[in-house]
Amino acid sequence: MSYENKILQMKKMLGKKTTTPVKQEKTATYQKPETPSYTERWKRAGLTVVENDFGIVFKRQVHYPCHYQHGDYKLQSFFEALAKWQEAKFEHPYALDSNEQVLFFDTETTGLKGVGTQIFLLGFLEVSDESFILTQYLLADPAHEAALLFESKLWQKTATVITYNGKSFDWPQLETRWTLHQKELPKLRSQRQIDLLHSSKRLWKNDMERMKLKSVEEEKLGFSRIADIPGYLAPIIYLDAIKSGMPDALMKVLLHNEWDLLSLITLYSHSTNLLFEESNDESANTFTNIGKWYADLKESTQSVRMLEKVTSQFDALEAGHAQYYLALQHKRNKKFNEAIDAFVASLHFIDSRKKLHALEQLAIIYEHQIKDYEQALYYTQEGIQLIKRDEKWRVEQKQKWEISWAKRLYRLGNKK
């Protein structure tokens, strides 16, 4: 049977209820669904059964010592990252307080979108003083969804949730499923979130072709998955497991989810090291991205420090974009001579749009700050020539720029 047909079959199955619908008064109690016939078999595979007012949930729990090695990092590197943030003299969305509850979170679902998509696995990795605790809650069957959601305790926990694409997928999906059971379940609490996919894009933009967690693991974290199941097979495996009652392949899905969670810890640690300049195994482009990130956060001191590191440690070609962003910081800090030097150093190594902006900034500084109208005129003419010869820009855009730069040229001609 094809992958598409199995997904269609799954959606039909998810629409079924194991309980007979009955008319209930508002005061009626929740009718618990029947316990699946394969419960004992799944228990023998290593899962435990948790029962609550809404049905049953299968649970798996693993404790990891702090010295547990995952790729290039021991899990205790997370505490080292925390210590760095306690000593930091700047603000950053990555920063965590020492007393902040942290919850690494990942899900497996029966699809990627749509009301019929259910979460069948909730994975949590929590931090204690002496160990890391992995807890996975597995949907017994589609009728036990309220039991799964309730047992997650996300209606009573307050924590900073760390995910990979969680802001865009995992958490919105959780909110959707929770809303469908809002009459039965306590209200879901809002949580602070740190999404490591978003930050990975910040760090490795134009440096990595693919931003899937598996790619980041292999290229940045020193971890390679052996005999891992492809993520797209997870819903098929879950469907087969609840149809056949055989949990063997499903346990590989739990292992897949376990690796995801462990990698969230090491990715947080690795990214923190980069932000604190404690890793030299990255490209000029990555460190430039970090410098720009600090600039966007209005942390000028950190931005300048990182960008100057790039310009001093890498050659002119590799450091071209760092010079450009460094020049912008110097100009904001009113260090105009330093800004001129950095803009000039960047001109031959940056793309046309940034080059035009650099020429404009040079013209502005020379006209308004240095009062050197000859130099301001020179860079204005260079900008006009760049606009005329670059054929990639839209005609309408070039016409607007030509009018703007012609006004500058006319004004400078009158000042000479």
Side-chain angles (χ1 to χ4, degrees), residues 183-215:
K183 291 182 180 179
E184 295 88 25
L185 297 177
K187 186 177 179 181
L188 177 65
R189 285 192 177 185
S190 298
Q191 312 286 355
R192 179 196 171 195
Q193 295 191 46
I194 296 176
D195 193 326
L196 298 183
L197 173 60
H198 295 178
S199 55
S200 293
K201 288 179 178 178
R202 277 270 192 180
L203 292 170
W204 295 302
K205 182 181 179 182
N206 299 323
D207 210 26
M208 286 186 64
E209 291 185 8
R210 305 184 69 189
M211 286 294 174
K212 289 196 171 185
L213 183 57
K214 183 178 178 181
S215 300

Coordinates of all heavy atoms in Angstrom, one line a residue, residues 183-215:
K183 N -13.6 21.3 26.8 CA -14.7 21.1 27.8 C -14.3 20.2 28.9 O -14.8 20.2 30.0 CB -15.9 20.6 27.1 CG -16.6 21.6 26.2 CD -17.9 21.0 25.6 CE -18.5 22.0 24.6 NZ -19.8 21.4 24.0
E184 N -13.3 19.3 28.6 CA -12.9 18.3 29.6 C -11.6 18.7 30.3 O -11.4 18.4 31.5 CB -12.6 16.9 28.9 CG -13.9 16.3 28.3 CD -14.1 16.7 26.9 OE1 -13.1 17.1 26.2 OE2 -15.3 16.7 26.4
L185 N -10.7 19.3 29.6 CA -9.4 19.6 30.1 C -9.2 20.9 30.8 O -9.9 21.9 30.4 CB -8.3 19.5 29.0 CG -8.2 18.2 28.3 CD1 -7.2 18.3 27.2 CD2 -7.8 17.0 29.3
P186 N -8.3 21.0 31.8 CA -8.0 22.4 32.4 C -7.3 23.2 31.3 O -6.8 22.7 30.3 CB -7.0 22.0 33.5 CG -7.2 20.6 33.8 CD -7.6 19.9 32.5
K187 N -7.4 24.5 31.4 CA -6.8 25.4 30.4 C -5.3 25.2 30.3 O -4.6 25.1 31.2 CB -7.1 26.8 30.8 CG -6.7 27.8 29.7 CD -7.1 29.3 30.1 CE -6.6 30.3 29.1 NZ -7.0 31.7 29.5
L188 N -4.8 25.2 29.0 CA -3.4 25.0 28.7 C -2.7 26.3 29.1 O -3.1 27.4 28.7 CB -3.2 24.7 27.2 CG -1.8 24.6 26.7 CD1 -1.1 23.4 27.3 CD2 -1.8 24.5 25.2
R189 N -1.6 26.2 29.8 CA -0.8 27.4 30.2 C 0.1 27.9 29.1 O 0.7 27.1 28.4 CB 0.0 27.1 31.4 CG -0.7 27.0 32.7 CD 0.2 27.0 33.9 NE -0.5 27.0 35.2 CZ 0.1 27.1 36.3 NH1 1.4 27.2 36.4 NH2 -0.6 27.0 37.5
S190 N 0.2 29.2 29.0 CA 1.2 29.7 28.0 C 2.6 29.6 28.6 O 2.7 29.7 29.9 CB 0.9 31.2 27.7 OG -0.4 31.3 27.1
Q191 N 3.6 29.4 27.8 CA 4.9 29.2 28.3 C 5.9 30.1 27.5 O 5.7 30.3 26.3 CB 5.4 27.7 28.2 CG 4.4 26.7 28.7 CD 4.3 26.6 30.2 OE1 5.1 27.3 30.9 NE2 3.4 25.8 30.7
R192 N 7.0 30.5 28.1 CA 8.0 31.2 27.4 C 8.7 30.1 26.5 O 8.8 28.9 26.9 CB 9.1 31.7 28.3 CG 10.3 32.4 27.6 CD 11.5 32.6 28.5 NE 12.6 33.0 27.7 CZ 13.9 33.0 28.1 NH1 14.1 32.6 29.3 NH2 14.8 33.4 27.3
Q193 N 9.0 30.5 25.2 CA 9.6 29.5 24.3 C 10.9 30.0 23.7 O 11.1 31.2 23.4 CB 8.6 29.2 23.2 CG 7.3 28.5 23.7 CD 6.5 28.0 22.5 OE1 7.0 27.4 21.6 NE2 5.2 28.3 22.6
I194 N 11.8 29.0 23.6 CA 13.1 29.3 22.8 C 13.1 28.2 21.7 O 13.1 27.0 21.9 CB 14.3 29.1 23.7 CG1 14.3 30.1 24.8 CG2 15.6 29.1 22.9 CD1 15.5 29.9 25.8
D195 N 13.0 28.7 20.5 CA 13.0 27.8 19.3 C 14.4 27.8 18.7 O 14.8 28.8 18.1 CB 11.9 28.3 18.3 CG 11.6 27.3 17.2 OD1 12.5 26.5 16.8 OD2 10.5 27.2 16.8
L196 N 15.0 26.7 18.8 CA 16.4 26.5 18.3 C 16.5 26.5 16.8 O 17.6 26.6 16.2 CB 17.1 25.3 18.9 CG 17.2 25.3 20.4 CD1 17.9 24.1 20.9 CD2 17.9 26.6 20.9
L197 N 15.4 26.2 16.1 CA 15.4 26.3 14.6 C 15.6 27.7 14.2 O 16.4 28.0 13.3 CB 14.1 25.7 14.0 CG 14.0 25.9 12.5 CD1 15.1 25.3 11.7 CD2 12.6 25.4 12.0
H198 N 14.8 28.6 14.8 CA 15.0 30.0 14.4 C 16.4 30.5 14.7 O 17.0 31.3 13.9 CB 14.0 30.9 15.3 CG 12.5 30.6 14.9 ND1 11.5 31.1 15.5 CD2 12.0 29.7 14.0 CE1 10.3 30.7 15.0 NE2 10.6 29.8 14.1
S199 N 16.9 30.2 15.8 CA 18.3 30.6 16.2 C 19.3 30.0 15.3 O 20.3 30.6 14.9 CB 18.6 30.4 17.6 OG 18.4 29.0 18.0
S200 N 19.1 28.7 14.9 CA 20.0 28.0 14.0 C 20.1 28.7 12.6 O 21.1 28.8 12.0 CB 19.6 26.6 13.8 OG 19.8 25.9 15.0
K201 N 18.9 29.2 12.2 CA 18.9 29.9 10.9 C 19.7 31.2 11.0 O 20.3 31.7 10.1 CB 17.4 30.2 10.5 CG 16.7 29.0 10.0 CD 15.2 29.4 9.7 CE 14.5 28.1 9.2 NZ 13.1 28.5 8.8
R202 N 19.6 31.8 12.2 CA 20.4 33.0 12.5 C 21.9 32.8 12.4 O 22.7 33.5 11.8 CB 20.0 33.6 13.9 CG 18.8 34.4 13.9 CD 19.2 35.9 13.7 NE 18.1 36.8 14.0 CZ 18.2 38.1 13.8 NH1 19.4 38.6 13.4 NH2 17.2 38.9 14.1
L203 N 22.3 31.7 13.1 CA 23.7 31.4 13.2 C 24.3 30.9 11.9 O 25.4 31.3 11.5 CB 23.9 30.3 14.2 CG 23.6 30.6 15.7 CD1 23.6 29.4 16.5 CD2 24.6 31.6 16.2
W204 N 23.6 30.1 11.1 CA 24.2 29.4 10.0 C 23.6 29.8 8.6 O 23.7 29.0 7.7 CB 24.2 27.9 10.2 CG 25.0 27.5 11.4 CD1 26.3 27.7 11.6 CD2 24.6 26.8 12.6 NE1 26.8 27.3 12.8 CE2 25.7 26.7 13.4 CE3 23.4 26.3 13.0 CZ2 25.7 26.1 14.7 CZ3 23.3 25.7 14.3 CH2 24.5 25.6 15.1
K205 N 22.9 30.9 8.6 CA 22.4 31.4 7.3 C 23.5 31.5 6.3 O 24.6 32.1 6.6 CB 21.7 32.8 7.5 CG 21.1 33.4 6.3 CD 20.5 34.7 6.5 CE 19.9 35.3 5.3 NZ 19.3 36.6 5.5
N206 N 23.3 31.0 5.1 CA 24.3 31.0 4.0 C 25.5 30.2 4.3 O 26.5 30.3 3.6 CB 24.7 32.5 3.7 CG 23.6 33.3 3.2 OD1 22.7 32.9 2.5 ND2 23.6 34.6 3.6
D207 N 25.4 29.4 5.4 CA 26.5 28.5 5.8 C 26.1 27.0 5.7 O 27.0 26.2 5.6 CB 27.0 28.9 7.2 CG 28.5 28.6 7.3 OD1 29.2 28.6 6.3 OD2 28.9 28.4 8.5
M208 N 24.8 26.8 5.9 CA 24.3 25.4 5.8 C 23.2 25.4 4.8 O 22.3 26.3 4.8 CB 23.7 24.9 7.1 CG 24.8 24.6 8.2 SD 24.0 23.9 9.7 CE 23.3 22.4 9.0
E209 N 23.2 24.4 3.9 CA 22.1 24.3 2.9 C 20.8 23.8 3.5 O 19.7 24.3 3.1 CB 22.5 23.3 1.8 CG 23.7 23.8 0.9 CD 24.0 22.9 -0.2 OE1 23.2 21.9 -0.4 OE2 25.0 23.1 -0.9
R210 N 20.9 22.9 4.5 CA 19.6 22.4 5.1 C 19.7 22.6 6.6 O 20.7 22.4 7.2 CB 19.5 20.9 4.8 CG 19.6 20.5 3.3 CD 19.3 19.1 3.1 NE 17.9 18.7 3.4 CZ 17.5 17.4 3.4 NH1 18.4 16.4 3.2 NH2 16.3 17.1 3.6
M211 N 18.5 22.9 7.1 CA 18.4 23.2 8.5 C 17.7 22.2 9.3 O 17.2 22.4 10.4 CB 17.8 24.6 8.8 CG 18.7 25.8 8.4 SD 20.1 25.9 9.5 CE 21.0 27.2 8.8
K212 N 17.5 21.0 8.7 CA 16.9 19.9 9.5 C 17.8 19.6 10.7 O 19.0 19.7 10.6 CB 16.6 18.7 8.6 CG 15.5 18.9 7.6 CD 15.1 17.5 7.0 CE 13.9 17.7 6.1 NZ 13.3 16.5 5.7
L213 N 17.1 19.1 11.8 CA 17.9 18.8 13.0 C 19.0 17.8 12.7 O 20.1 17.9 13.2 CB 17.0 18.4 14.1 CG 17.6 18.1 15.4 CD1 18.4 19.3 16.0 CD2 16.6 17.6 16.5
K214 N 18.7 16.8 11.9 CA 19.6 15.7 11.6 C 20.9 16.3 10.9 O 22.0 15.9 11.2 CB 19.0 14.7 10.7 CG 19.9 13.5 10.4 CD 19.2 12.5 9.5 CE 20.1 11.3 9.2 NZ 19.5 10.3 8.3
S215 N 20.7 17.3 10.0 CA 21.8 18.0 9.4 C 22.7 18.8 10.4 O 23.9 18.7 10.3 CB 21.3 18.9 8.2 OG 20.6 18.2 7.3

